[in-house]
Amino acid sequence: MQRAAQRDDRAHAQRVKRLRRALVCAAAVPAVLITAACSSDSGDSKAKSGQESTQPTTGGTSQPSASASPTVRAAAYQKLPEPCSALSKKTLTDLVPQGAKSGKKGSSDDPSSRASCSWNSLDNNGVKGSQFRWLNVSLLRFDSDTARGAGDDQAHTYYSQQVKDAQSVDGAKNPKVVPLSGTGSEATTVRYDLKKKEGLFKQQTVVARVENVVVTVDYNGAGLAGEKTPDADDLAKDAQKALKEIVAAVSSANGKGDGATSPTTEPASPSKSASKSASKAPSKSSSSSASPSKSAVKKS
């Protein structure tokens, strides 16, 4: 009995000892977990802190700058010459001998962008017939605009249209298109015959672009009442001479020399907006080819 009691006591003591160990170990586990968790948080915080330190500081310079406003190259010419004074007295006397002083200025709401002048000449030789001449000069200047494009691009579009229109005049016979060198940035002569009730008219239309300005010279002549029809080649030379003087007057008005041979490069193909702008320009100049008035014919 005594030995059995002793064994029970020893067994109880061992169970108590094991229980204490278990409790100590159980108490030690949360502490380890907490320590590990703290260590992990500390590492994350340091890593996060390191990442944040590599980010740009929040300041005005770190924000993307606003996009620059679109730009377009400036127009070379800002004004036009006085159209009725752009040709020399000698040139007018050669082209319109009886009307050199009869220049009629066209109306314009903006003379710095649009201008024109025309002259009529009737050399009445009575029963021998009469020689009629008509001269018209028109100028159109284009400003550079971010919506429509550069002024010279717009001018190129209008120049091309003027040349095209001169070739498509109703009733035109024997049309001939001849590129003209040495005048402005680009130039073309369009020649054709036009039969009217007064007689056969020899029409010369010469068009030039000088930077952002387009110059169009219309010149025609006819022999009336049996008078000899003027030579088309002579008329073409006279028209080209007038064109060169007008081109030089444009450059001179803007303080840029005579501008006779402006070596500018071919402008880029115009945008739709630029084409739209050109379509608003004056209608084809060739269609305005004048014929002598009834009173002038009657005098012959």
Side-chain angles (χ1 to χ4, degrees):
M1 289 291 291
Q2 186 177 3
R3 290 181 179 176
Q6 289 177 347
R7 285 197 299 271
D8 291 339
D9 288 341
R10 286 196 297 271
H12 177 71
Q14 290 177 355
R15 285 196 298 272
V16 171
K17 186 177 182 179
R18 286 196 296 271
L19 180 59
R20 287 177 179 174
R21 289 178 179 176
L23 290 175
V24 171
C25 291
V29 170
V32 172
L33 292 176
I34 291 173
T35 302
C38 291
S39 298
S40 177
D41 288 345
S42 177
D44 290 343
S45 298
K46 289 181 179 179
K48 185 175 181 181
S49 175
Q51 291 176 355
E52 289 179 350
S53 64
T54 61
Q55 299 297 323
T57 57
T58 57
T61 57
S62 65
Q63 299 298 322
S65 58
S67 58
S69 300
T71 59
V72 62
R73 62 180 175 274
Y77 297 131
Q78 301 301 317
K79 56 185 177 180
L80 298 175
E82 167 58 44
C84 293
S85 302
L87 291 173
S88 68
K89 182 178 180 180
K90 183 180 184 306
T91 297
L92 288 173
T93 301
D94 290 342
L95 272 64
V96 283
Q98 303 303 316
K101 298 180 180 180
S102 65
K104 184 178 180 181
K105 187 176 180 179
S107 61
S108 175
D109 55 356
D110 184 4
S112 68
S113 295
R114 186 188 304 259
S116 65
C117 191
S118 62
W119 296 261
N120 283 286
S121 174
L122 181 66
D123 186 6
N124 191 340
N125 297 310
V127 295
K128 294 182 179 180
S130 303
Q131 284 291 336
F132 174 77
R133 300 289 187 273
W134 177 74
L135 173 66
N136 184 79
V137 173
S138 64
L139 304 97
L140 192 63
R141 186 183 65 82
F142 294 85
D143 281 318
S144 294
D145 184 273
T146 54
R148 295 188 296 269
D152 56 339
D153 286 342
Q154 298 177 60
H156 171 71
T157 299
Y158 180 66
Y159 160 83
S160 301
Q161 188 62 48
Q162 284 287 85
V163 173
K164 182 179 179 181
D165 288 347
Q167 301 174 57
S168 58
V169 174
D170 292 340
K173 302 294 183 181
N174 305 316
K176 185 177 181 180
V177 180
V178 181
L180 182 61
S181 61
T183 303
S185 306
E186 51 189 334
T188 302
T189 298
V190 180
R191 303 165 53 176
Y192 57 84
D193 298 337
L194 194 61
K195 181 68 176 178
K196 296 186 178 182
K197 62 180 181 180
E198 296 89 351
L200 179 63
F201 287 77
K202 295 289 185 177
Q203 173 70 34
Q204 317 294 316
T205 298
V206 285
V207 188
R209 177 182 70 84
V210 50
E211 301 290 356
N212 59 308
V213 175
V214 177
V215 179
T216 304
V217 174
D218 285 302
Y219 184 51
N220 65 38
L224 308 177
E227 179 64 291
K228 182 181 178 180
T229 300
D231 184 77
D233 290 337
D234 291 340
L235 294 177
K237 290 177 182 178
D238 288 340
Q240 292 166 6
K241 176 183 177 182
L243 179 70
K244 289 184 178 182
E245 283 193 25
I246 298 294
V247 167
V250 171
S251 296
S252 180
N254 290 272
K256 294 180 179 292
D258 61 15
T261 55
S262 178
T264 55
T265 57
E266 184 77 5
S269 299
S271 62
K272 292 182 178 179
S273 59
S275 300
K276 184 177 179 182
S277 173
S279 66
K280 294 181 180 179
S283 59
K284 53 190 178 184
S285 59
S286 303
S287 62
S288 62
S289 301
S291 58
S293 63
K294 291 183 178 179
S295 60
V297 176
K298 187 176 181 180
K299 289 181 181 180
S300 64

